Amino acid sequence: MVQNREVWGSKFGFILAAAGSAVGLGNIWKFPYIAGENGGAAFVFVYLICIAIIGFPVLIAEILIGRTTQKNPVGAFTALSHNKFWISIGFLGVLAGFLILSFYSVIGGWTIGYVIETLKGSISSFNDPAEAGELFNALVGNVGWNIGFHTIFFALVMFIVIRGVQGGIERASKIMMPILVFILVILIIRGVTLKGASAGVMFLWVPDWSKITAESILIALGHAFFTLSLGMGAMMTYGSYMSKKDNVVTSSAQIVTLDTLIALMAGLAIFTAVFASGLDPAAGPGLIFQTLPAVFSSMTGGTFFSLLFFLLLAIAALTSAISLLEVVVAYFVDEQKWNRKGAVIIFGGITYLLGIPSALSFNVMSGVTFFDLNFFDLIDFIASNILLPFGGLMIAVFAGWVWSRTEMMAAAKEGAERLFETYPWFEGIWLMFLKFIAPVLIALVLLNKLGFSITG
Ligand code: TRP
């Protein structure tokens, strides 16, 4: 067989692409608002623990499965187990990628739409969040605006993925990730130099332990998964293009660190600005699209910072969206022998079409509900709340219990011999987290999401 599967150009390229997948709307839109709703610092602390004890061990396992088999999720489980059950877990991953991308692109479209609104000058005239909210409602209520920007966002995603692993995904990540960090640093400097910014810093750094509830722990745990792109094979697919000379453990640590730092930095930039304007940190999902524009309106140079902010959000969303499409494409390229371009156009096209009812959920289809959820929320619920935790659970169980211990450790040590020799305890701890702690905690989140509330 001709072995011409694509690979990353360098270890650094892989780290940036994987960090690009991890750093997304989850970090800049969702993390700040759930931290805001759940009391700030105490929640951040719980979240950091979840990242360390669940996110990190499962990320190593997911990347390792990909690197060892050099396959998409379906091919990877086929290669390692030949068992129908595990192969269907791979299919669920491909399905989840398809579903998540369809609605992720709608929000990705909004971020580009807000860049354009800022350029048109609409973001500079609000007196309070209610006025910014009116614009937001008018925009998302507009069919053409929603579908138009969904189309633009999706076209960009397809354009990058068509160009392949090195020429498309890696190159785009190498350009966009440094810009993202740079913009974030500027926004933090602006935030912390505002009068009254210290209240925002305190909100994020000084914990009020009474704010921790069972509910907020579950939210933190679920988010740890989403933010690291775990549970559906995105990291597996990116790992499949990784060299066996590279160290999976330190690479995972770098990805986790970048993702976490960027979430914290986004929180810092946003809460300093929100507190300095005396606005509500617990505004929920509208924090970014309603509270922040009001903040920008009241700030000197607000239009400029608004432009930077929504550009930041668009870049983050784009580098994540390409990882979602890549999972689907890798499956059709590896297993069905499609060429990359055909797979991107056909399956990207189908995913795009599935996104349309999501884009319409905020306007003409807002009354169409399934189990009380509109189409957008339904797809989000199935993918993020059911398929991802379930997939994550299965990846932990597979690595912890099914994959032969000797084979797995041999694979993990390739490129990481020194690390496992220098820190002999690491192996045992990693295995313990994979076998027991991660599966039990993930199962709790999953049951809770399905409505078996342990919080009463
Ligand atoms: N991690 C991304 C974010 O924080 C979203 C994302 C991209 C994702 N690929 C994924 C989530 C795969 C789960 C699985 O926005």
Side-chain angles (χ1 to χ4, degrees):
M1 206 177 85
V2 222
Q3 194 62 50
N4 57 356
R5 203 167 179 277
E6 294 179 89
V7 290
W8 301 110
S10 67
K11 177 180 170 202
F12 184 61
F14 162 69
I15 304 272
L16 282 191
S21 167
V23 175
L25 296 169
N27 302 59
I28 301 167
W29 166 63
K30 195 160 183 209
F31 172 73
Y33 94 70
I34 56 178
E37 281 181 335
N38 291 283
F43 177 83
V44 173
F45 180 79
V46 175
Y47 165 79
L48 292 178
I49 293 186
C50 293
I51 291 279
I53 66 174
I54 306 196
F56 181 50
V58 177
L59 180 63
I60 300 175
E62 198 179 316
I63 294 180
L64 188 62
I65 293 174
R67 185 183 72 162
T68 308
T69 57
Q70 304 193 338
K71 289 277 168 54
N72 64 90
V74 175
F77 282 115
T78 309
L80 290 178
S81 83
H82 299 290
N83 171 309
K84 282 225 178 66
F85 173 78
W86 291 105
I87 297 171
S88 64
I89 298 297
F91 273 111
L92 276 187
V94 176
L95 176 71
F98 173 71
L99 295 179
I100 297 176
L101 180 58
S102 75
F103 70 82
Y104 202 85
S105 168
V106 174
I107 312 285
W110 292 359
T111 67
I112 300 182
Y114 264 75
V115 170
I116 306 292
E117 289 303 316
T118 307
L119 289 172
K120 280 169 53 188
S122 351
I123 306 291
S124 52
S125 59
F126 306 121
N127 294 313
D128 54 41
E131 281 180 19
E134 276 166 33
L135 175 73
F136 177 73
N137 290 333
L139 293 174
V140 302
N142 180 328
V143 174
W145 190 83
N146 266 278
I147 297 205
F149 285 110
H150 166 55
T151 309
I152 294 176
F153 185 84
F154 216 99
L156 288 171
V157 174
M158 288 178 41
F159 176 79
I160 296 173
V161 177
I162 278 187
R163 311 190 132 218
V165 174
Q166 261 190 47
I169 300 175
E170 182 168 350
R171 193 199 276 160
S173 308
K174 276 185 168 164
I175 299 172
M176 291 197 281
M177 290 307 284
I179 299 179
L180 181 145
V181 174
F182 180 69
I183 295 180
L184 201 47
V185 170
I186 298 183
L187 290 172
I188 291 179
I189 295 175
R190 171 73 276 203
V192 297
T193 51
L194 289 167
K195 222 171 125 241
S198 57
V201 179
M202 303 259 287
F203 180 71
L204 268 184
W205 298 110
V206 183
D208 168 1
W209 300 112
S210 70
K211 294 276 169 52
I212 295 191
T213 60
E215 177 78 34
S216 65
I217 295 176
L218 293 175
I219 294 177
L221 201 56
H223 187 63
F225 256 86
F226 188 83
T227 191
L228 290 174
S229 301
L230 289 178
M232 47 73 68
M235 289 300 181
M236 205 179 282
T237 306
Y238 274 20
S240 75
Y241 305 123
M242 187 183 178
S243 155
K244 303 223 163 155
K245 293 194 208 79
D246 291 335
N247 184 327
V248 176
V249 178
T250 52
S251 301
S252 303
Q254 285 160 351
I255 295 163
V256 167
T257 309
L258 272 172
D259 184 75
T260 308
L261 270 181
I262 291 177
L264 294 175
M265 285 165 73
L268 188 61
I270 291 169
F271 287 120
T272 47
V274 167
F275 274 86
S277 315
L279 293 172
D280 179 14
L287 185 67
I288 293 301
F289 293 105
Q290 302 180 21
T291 311
L292 268 194
V295 172
F296 291 134
S297 286
S298 67
M299 189 188 262
T300 345
T303 302
F304 173 68
F305 292 109
S306 172
L307 187 67
L308 286 187
F309 180 78
F310 287 109
L311 212 53
L312 168 78
L313 206 55
I315 292 176
L318 208 53
T319 50
S320 296
I322 57 184
S323 74
L324 290 162
L325 184 55
E326 181 60 23
V327 175
V328 182
V329 168
Y331 165 72
F332 284 97
V333 170
D334 290 346
E335 307 302 306
Q336 310 294 341
K337 310 293 170 220
W338 283 58
N339 74 39
R340 170 171 286 274
K341 195 167 174 188
V344 170
I345 292 175
I346 304 281
F347 294 96
I350 298 176
T351 317
Y352 165 77
L353 291 177
L354 183 72
I356 289 184
S358 282
L360 298 180
S361 298
F362 301 92
N363 35 70
V364 289
M365 279 179 57
S366 60
V368 185
T369 55
F370 314 82
F371 314 103
D372 274 345
L373 298 172
N374 66 31
F375 190 84
F376 180 101
D377 293 331
L378 178 76
I379 301 288
D380 182 13
F381 182 84
I382 295 175
S384 316
N385 290 351
I386 300 177
L387 295 181
L388 286 185
F390 181 68
L393 174 63
M394 288 299 125
I395 288 168
V397 168
F398 185 82
W401 298 93
V402 180
W403 195 359
S404 122
R405 175 70 9 91
T406 18
E407 253 179 60
M408 179 169 91
M409 287 318 303
K413 285 175 185 164
E414 264 182 284
E417 299 82 358
R418 284 266 304 280
L419 183 133
F420 282 96
E421 273 164 31
T422 322
Y423 307 102
W425 46 266
F426 183 78
E427 176 172 341
I429 295 203
W430 179 49
L431 291 173
M432 183 181 79
F433 279 102
L434 276 184
K435 284 175 94 112
F436 304 104
I437 299 184
V440 169
L441 291 175
I442 302 168
L444 273 181
V445 176
L446 190 61
L447 290 177
N448 188 265
K449 293 278 171 77
L450 289 174
F452 305 97
S453 177
I454 57 165
T455 58

PDB file of all heavy atoms in Angstrom, residues 21-27 100 104 225-230 232 234 320 323-324 388, ligand 1:
ATOM      1  N   SER A  21      -7.517  24.235  17.962  1.00  0.00           N
ATOM      2  CA  SER A  21      -8.762  23.493  18.102  1.00  0.00           C
ATOM      3  C   SER A  21      -9.352  23.727  19.492  1.00  0.00           C
ATOM      4  O   SER A  21     -10.540  23.991  19.652  1.00  0.00           O
ATOM      5  CB  SER A  21      -8.512  22.005  17.886  1.00  0.00           C
ATOM      6  OG  SER A  21      -9.632  21.259  18.303  1.00  0.00           O
ATOM      7  N   ALA A  22      -8.488  23.631  20.498  1.00  0.00           N
ATOM      8  CA  ALA A  22      -8.966  23.759  21.878  1.00  0.00           C
ATOM      9  C   ALA A  22      -9.458  25.172  22.170  1.00  0.00           C
ATOM     10  O   ALA A  22     -10.517  25.361  22.756  1.00  0.00           O
ATOM     11  CB  ALA A  22      -7.843  23.368  22.842  1.00  0.00           C
ATOM     12  N   VAL A  23      -8.686  26.165  21.760  1.00  0.00           N
ATOM     13  CA  VAL A  23      -9.060  27.550  22.044  1.00  0.00           C
ATOM     14  C   VAL A  23     -10.137  27.988  21.068  1.00  0.00           C
ATOM     15  O   VAL A  23      -9.891  28.086  19.874  1.00  0.00           O
ATOM     16  CB  VAL A  23      -7.845  28.484  21.900  1.00  0.00           C
ATOM     17  CG1 VAL A  23      -8.270  29.925  22.078  1.00  0.00           C
ATOM     18  CG2 VAL A  23      -6.777  28.102  22.900  1.00  0.00           C
ATOM     19  N   GLY A  24     -11.335  28.199  21.584  1.00  0.00           N
ATOM     20  CA  GLY A  24     -12.428  28.554  20.677  1.00  0.00           C
ATOM     21  C   GLY A  24     -13.476  29.370  21.399  1.00  0.00           C
ATOM     22  O   GLY A  24     -13.188  30.030  22.406  1.00  0.00           O
ATOM     23  N   LEU A  25     -14.698  29.305  20.877  1.00  0.00           N
ATOM     24  CA  LEU A  25     -15.797  30.006  21.531  1.00  0.00           C
ATOM     25  C   LEU A  25     -15.914  29.564  22.983  1.00  0.00           C
ATOM     26  O   LEU A  25     -16.330  30.331  23.838  1.00  0.00           O
ATOM     27  CB  LEU A  25     -17.102  29.721  20.785  1.00  0.00           C
ATOM     28  CG  LEU A  25     -17.153  30.239  19.342  1.00  0.00           C
ATOM     29  CD1 LEU A  25     -18.369  29.682  18.612  1.00  0.00           C
ATOM     30  CD2 LEU A  25     -17.163  31.757  19.336  1.00  0.00           C
ATOM     31  N   GLY A  26     -15.517  28.315  23.242  1.00  0.00           N
ATOM     32  CA  GLY A  26     -15.551  27.800  24.611  1.00  0.00           C
ATOM     33  C   GLY A  26     -14.729  28.660  25.558  1.00  0.00           C
ATOM     34  O   GLY A  26     -15.138  28.912  26.688  1.00  0.00           O
ATOM     35  N   ASN A  27     -13.572  29.112  25.115  1.00  0.00           N
ATOM     36  CA  ASN A  27     -12.694  29.881  25.993  1.00  0.00           C
ATOM     37  C   ASN A  27     -13.133  31.326  26.134  1.00  0.00           C
ATOM     38  O   ASN A  27     -13.042  31.924  27.192  1.00  0.00           O
ATOM     39  CB  ASN A  27     -11.260  29.910  25.445  1.00  0.00           C
ATOM     40  CG  ASN A  27     -10.703  28.537  25.279  1.00  0.00           C
ATOM     41  OD1 ASN A  27     -11.258  27.719  24.554  1.00  0.00           O
ATOM     42  ND2 ASN A  27      -9.625  28.260  25.960  1.00  0.00           N
ATOM     43  N   ILE A 100     -21.687  19.191  15.855  1.00  0.00           N
ATOM     44  CA  ILE A 100     -21.162  20.384  16.537  1.00  0.00           C
ATOM     45  C   ILE A 100     -20.821  21.455  15.510  1.00  0.00           C
ATOM     46  O   ILE A 100     -21.160  22.624  15.671  1.00  0.00           O
ATOM     47  CB  ILE A 100     -19.916  20.058  17.395  1.00  0.00           C
ATOM     48  CG1 ILE A 100     -20.274  19.077  18.503  1.00  0.00           C
ATOM     49  CG2 ILE A 100     -19.334  21.335  18.022  1.00  0.00           C
ATOM     50  CD1 ILE A 100     -19.105  18.627  19.343  1.00  0.00           C
ATOM     51  N   TYR A 104     -21.903  25.337  15.496  1.00  0.00           N
ATOM     52  CA  TYR A 104     -20.739  26.164  15.847  1.00  0.00           C
ATOM     53  C   TYR A 104     -20.535  27.232  14.774  1.00  0.00           C
ATOM     54  O   TYR A 104     -20.177  28.376  15.064  1.00  0.00           O
ATOM     55  CB  TYR A 104     -19.516  25.254  15.935  1.00  0.00           C
ATOM     56  CG  TYR A 104     -18.347  25.765  16.766  1.00  0.00           C
ATOM     57  CD1 TYR A 104     -18.326  25.571  18.147  1.00  0.00           C
ATOM     58  CD2 TYR A 104     -17.274  26.408  16.174  1.00  0.00           C
ATOM     59  CE1 TYR A 104     -17.256  26.010  18.908  1.00  0.00           C
ATOM     60  CE2 TYR A 104     -16.197  26.843  16.934  1.00  0.00           C
ATOM     61  CZ  TYR A 104     -16.194  26.638  18.302  1.00  0.00           C
ATOM     62  OH  TYR A 104     -15.137  27.067  19.052  1.00  0.00           O
ATOM     63  N   PHE A 225     -14.151  19.371  29.276  1.00  0.00           N
ATOM     64  CA  PHE A 225     -14.178  18.539  28.077  1.00  0.00           C
ATOM     65  C   PHE A 225     -14.309  19.334  26.805  1.00  0.00           C
ATOM     66  O   PHE A 225     -13.578  19.163  25.843  1.00  0.00           O
ATOM     67  CB  PHE A 225     -15.385  17.613  28.160  1.00  0.00           C
ATOM     68  CG  PHE A 225     -14.939  16.290  28.516  1.00  0.00           C
ATOM     69  CD1 PHE A 225     -14.764  15.938  29.827  1.00  0.00           C
ATOM     70  CD2 PHE A 225     -14.607  15.409  27.513  1.00  0.00           C
ATOM     71  CE1 PHE A 225     -14.274  14.721  30.145  1.00  0.00           C
ATOM     72  CE2 PHE A 225     -14.121  14.190  27.824  1.00  0.00           C
ATOM     73  CZ  PHE A 225     -13.952  13.834  29.146  1.00  0.00           C
ATOM     74  N   PHE A 226     -15.307  20.199  26.815  1.00  0.00           N
ATOM     75  CA  PHE A 226     -15.591  20.959  25.602  1.00  0.00           C
ATOM     76  C   PHE A 226     -14.395  21.834  25.236  1.00  0.00           C
ATOM     77  O   PHE A 226     -13.987  21.901  24.080  1.00  0.00           O
ATOM     78  CB  PHE A 226     -16.843  21.827  25.808  1.00  0.00           C
ATOM     79  CG  PHE A 226     -17.303  22.476  24.543  1.00  0.00           C
ATOM     80  CD1 PHE A 226     -18.097  21.785  23.638  1.00  0.00           C
ATOM     81  CD2 PHE A 226     -16.922  23.774  24.234  1.00  0.00           C
ATOM     82  CE1 PHE A 226     -18.516  22.376  22.459  1.00  0.00           C
ATOM     83  CE2 PHE A 226     -17.332  24.379  23.057  1.00  0.00           C
ATOM     84  CZ  PHE A 226     -18.133  23.678  22.164  1.00  0.00           C
ATOM     85  N   THR A 227     -13.812  22.482  26.236  1.00  0.00           N
ATOM     86  CA  THR A 227     -12.761  23.440  25.927  1.00  0.00           C
ATOM     87  C   THR A 227     -11.500  22.757  25.408  1.00  0.00           C
ATOM     88  O   THR A 227     -10.746  23.346  24.641  1.00  0.00           O
ATOM     89  CB  THR A 227     -12.452  24.345  27.137  1.00  0.00           C
ATOM     90  OG1 THR A 227     -11.608  25.416  26.700  1.00  0.00           O
ATOM     91  CG2 THR A 227     -11.751  23.600  28.251  1.00  0.00           C
ATOM     92  N   LEU A 228     -11.268  21.509  25.809  1.00  0.00           N
ATOM     93  CA  LEU A 228     -10.079  20.816  25.295  1.00  0.00           C
ATOM     94  C   LEU A 228     -10.394  20.020  24.023  1.00  0.00           C
ATOM     95  O   LEU A 228      -9.562  19.256  23.544  1.00  0.00           O
ATOM     96  CB  LEU A 228      -9.491  19.892  26.366  1.00  0.00           C
ATOM     97  CG  LEU A 228      -8.831  20.611  27.557  1.00  0.00           C
ATOM     98  CD1 LEU A 228      -8.408  19.604  28.629  1.00  0.00           C
ATOM     99  CD2 LEU A 228      -7.629  21.434  27.112  1.00  0.00           C
ATOM    100  N   SER A 229     -11.559  20.200  23.463  1.00  0.00           N
ATOM    101  CA  SER A 229     -11.981  19.471  22.250  1.00  0.00           C
ATOM    102  C   SER A 229     -11.924  17.961  22.445  1.00  0.00           C
ATOM    103  O   SER A 229     -11.585  17.216  21.532  1.00  0.00           O
ATOM    104  CB  SER A 229     -11.107  19.827  21.035  1.00  0.00           C
ATOM    105  OG  SER A 229     -11.150  21.182  20.743  1.00  0.00           O
ATOM    106  N   LEU A 230     -12.254  17.503  23.649  1.00  0.00           N
ATOM    107  CA  LEU A 230     -12.150  16.072  23.926  1.00  0.00           C
ATOM    108  C   LEU A 230     -13.449  15.336  23.645  1.00  0.00           C
ATOM    109  O   LEU A 230     -14.511  15.944  23.633  1.00  0.00           O
ATOM    110  CB  LEU A 230     -11.809  15.859  25.403  1.00  0.00           C
ATOM    111  CG  LEU A 230     -10.398  16.235  25.818  1.00  0.00           C
ATOM    112  CD1 LEU A 230     -10.226  16.009  27.313  1.00  0.00           C
ATOM    113  CD2 LEU A 230      -9.392  15.399  25.040  1.00  0.00           C
ATOM    114  N   MET A 232     -14.609  13.390  21.007  1.00  0.00           N
ATOM    115  CA  MET A 232     -15.177  12.977  19.728  1.00  0.00           C
ATOM    116  C   MET A 232     -14.111  12.705  18.685  1.00  0.00           C
ATOM    117  O   MET A 232     -14.429  12.507  17.520  1.00  0.00           O
ATOM    118  CB  MET A 232     -16.211  13.966  19.214  1.00  0.00           C
ATOM    119  CG  MET A 232     -15.856  15.425  19.234  1.00  0.00           C
ATOM    120  SD  MET A 232     -14.669  15.909  17.987  1.00  0.00           S
ATOM    121  CE  MET A 232     -15.629  15.684  16.504  1.00  0.00           C
ATOM    122  N   ALA A 234     -11.433  14.643  17.778  1.00  0.00           N
ATOM    123  CA  ALA A 234     -10.729  15.737  17.104  1.00  0.00           C
ATOM    124  C   ALA A 234      -9.237  15.669  17.449  1.00  0.00           C
ATOM    125  O   ALA A 234      -8.367  15.742  16.569  1.00  0.00           O
ATOM    126  CB  ALA A 234     -11.305  17.094  17.505  1.00  0.00           C
ATOM    127  N   SER A 320     -11.015  26.356  15.639  1.00  0.00           N
ATOM    128  CA  SER A 320     -11.713  25.214  16.246  1.00  0.00           C
ATOM    129  C   SER A 320     -12.579  24.515  15.210  1.00  0.00           C
ATOM    130  O   SER A 320     -12.629  23.286  15.157  1.00  0.00           O
ATOM    131  CB  SER A 320     -12.609  25.677  17.394  1.00  0.00           C
ATOM    132  OG  SER A 320     -11.836  26.220  18.419  1.00  0.00           O
ATOM    133  N   SER A 323     -10.969  21.966  13.004  1.00  0.00           N
ATOM    134  CA  SER A 323     -10.680  20.645  13.592  1.00  0.00           C
ATOM    135  C   SER A 323     -11.919  19.761  13.565  1.00  0.00           C
ATOM    136  O   SER A 323     -11.826  18.535  13.491  1.00  0.00           O
ATOM    137  CB  SER A 323     -10.162  20.789  15.019  1.00  0.00           C
ATOM    138  OG  SER A 323     -11.193  21.132  15.928  1.00  0.00           O
ATOM    139  N   LEU A 324     -13.087  20.379  13.644  1.00  0.00           N
ATOM    140  CA  LEU A 324     -14.316  19.582  13.609  1.00  0.00           C
ATOM    141  C   LEU A 324     -14.526  19.009  12.212  1.00  0.00           C
ATOM    142  O   LEU A 324     -14.857  17.832  12.047  1.00  0.00           O
ATOM    143  CB  LEU A 324     -15.508  20.459  14.017  1.00  0.00           C
ATOM    144  CG  LEU A 324     -15.522  20.848  15.500  1.00  0.00           C
ATOM    145  CD1 LEU A 324     -16.428  22.043  15.745  1.00  0.00           C
ATOM    146  CD2 LEU A 324     -15.970  19.666  16.348  1.00  0.00           C
ATOM    147  N   LEU A 388     -20.455  14.083  23.591  1.00  0.00           N
ATOM    148  CA  LEU A 388     -19.088  14.366  24.047  1.00  0.00           C
ATOM    149  C   LEU A 388     -18.722  13.697  25.365  1.00  0.00           C
ATOM    150  O   LEU A 388     -17.699  13.006  25.447  1.00  0.00           O
ATOM    151  CB  LEU A 388     -18.831  15.874  24.159  1.00  0.00           C
ATOM    152  CG  LEU A 388     -18.659  16.658  22.861  1.00  0.00           C
ATOM    153  CD1 LEU A 388     -18.297  18.093  23.174  1.00  0.00           C
ATOM    154  CD2 LEU A 388     -17.641  16.029  21.951  1.00  0.00           C
TER     155      LEU A 388
HETATM  156  N1  TRP B   1     -12.705  23.406  22.043  1.00  0.00           N
HETATM  157  C1  TRP B   1     -13.445  24.306  21.224  1.00  0.00           C
HETATM  158  C2  TRP B   1     -13.903  25.496  22.049  1.00  0.00           C
HETATM  159  O1  TRP B   1     -13.537  25.654  23.170  1.00  0.00           O
HETATM  160  C3  TRP B   1     -14.611  23.669  20.558  1.00  0.00           C
HETATM  161  C4  TRP B   1     -14.273  22.428  19.827  1.00  0.00           C
HETATM  162  C5  TRP B   1     -13.538  22.291  18.713  1.00  0.00           C
HETATM  163  C6  TRP B   1     -14.630  21.140  20.210  1.00  0.00           C
HETATM  164  N2  TRP B   1     -13.416  20.979  18.389  1.00  0.00           N
HETATM  165  C7  TRP B   1     -14.060  20.264  19.287  1.00  0.00           C
HETATM  166  C8  TRP B   1     -15.346  20.669  21.273  1.00  0.00           C
HETATM  167  C9  TRP B   1     -14.214  18.912  19.438  1.00  0.00           C
HETATM  168  C10 TRP B   1     -15.492  19.314  21.399  1.00  0.00           C
HETATM  169  C11 TRP B   1     -14.936  18.428  20.517  1.00  0.00           C
HETATM  170  O2  TRP B   1     -14.666  26.297  21.555  1.00  0.00           O
END
